[in-house]
């Protein structure tokens, strides 16, 4: 919600931590990555664009997901990024998808 209101507060470790985590899991083409709490979709678009994988972003805020979908079009990764409104405690996906 902070992103929706314009409050830009990165997660612990920031972008550097995101890149390190991606490296640990060998993200590349053919993989499907889940971004829980995706916010405005910055990370999801970056990961899909940089590594060529598919990304599904999940956020509980419908308004934020609408804005994330706009970012996907701007970044030209519509074929690799999808956003879903869902609660992280009740994800609507099959097991072993990600």
């Amino acid at each position: 919600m902070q992103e929706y209101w314009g409050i830009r507060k990165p997660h612990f470790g920031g972008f550097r931590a995101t890149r390190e985590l991606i490296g640990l899991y060998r993200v590349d083409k053919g993989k499907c990555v889940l971004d829980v709490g995706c916010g405005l979709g910055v990370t999801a678009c970056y990961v899909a664009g940089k590594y060529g994988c598919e990304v599904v972003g999940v956020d509980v805020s419908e308004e934020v997901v609408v804005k994330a979908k706009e970012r996907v079009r701007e970044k030209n990764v519509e074929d690799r990024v999808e956003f879903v409104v869902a609660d992280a405690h009740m994800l609507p996906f099959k097991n072993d998808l990600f």
Side-chain angles (χ1 to χ4, degrees), residues 16-35:
R16 180 176 155 207
T18 298
R19 287 192 314 254
E20 288 177 13
L21 185 62
I22 292 166
L24 289 173
Y25 288 95
R26 298 180 188 98
V27 172
D28 56 13
K29 286 184 180 182
K31 301 276 177 119
C32 191
V33 176
L34 178 63
D35 182 6

Side-chain angles (χ1 to χ4, degrees), residues 34-52:
L34 178 63
D35 182 6
V36 177
C38 65
L40 297 173
V42 174
T43 299
C45 290
Y46 167 77
V47 171
K50 175 90 174 162
Y51 298 95

Side-chain angles (χ1 to χ4, degrees), residues 33-36 38 44 55-59 65 81-85 93:
V33 176
L34 178 63
D35 182 6
V36 177
C38 65
V55 180
V56 177
V58 174
D59 203 285
V65 167
V81 180
E82 174 186 357
F83 292 105
V84 177
V85 177
F93 307 111

Side-chain angles (χ1 to χ4, degrees), residues 57-92:
V58 174
D59 203 285
V60 71
S61 169
E62 188 171 343
E63 294 173 73
V64 170
V65 167
V66 168
K67 290 184 178 284
K69 289 178 179 180
E70 292 171 9
R71 180 180 306 277
V72 166
R73 288 187 291 278
E74 292 169 7
K75 298 297 183 181
N76 198 29
V77 290
E78 299 100 330
D79 61 330
R80 288 171 276 156
V81 180
E82 174 186 357
F83 292 105
V84 177
V85 177
D87 184 321
H89 293 104
M90 297 175 5
L91 294 172

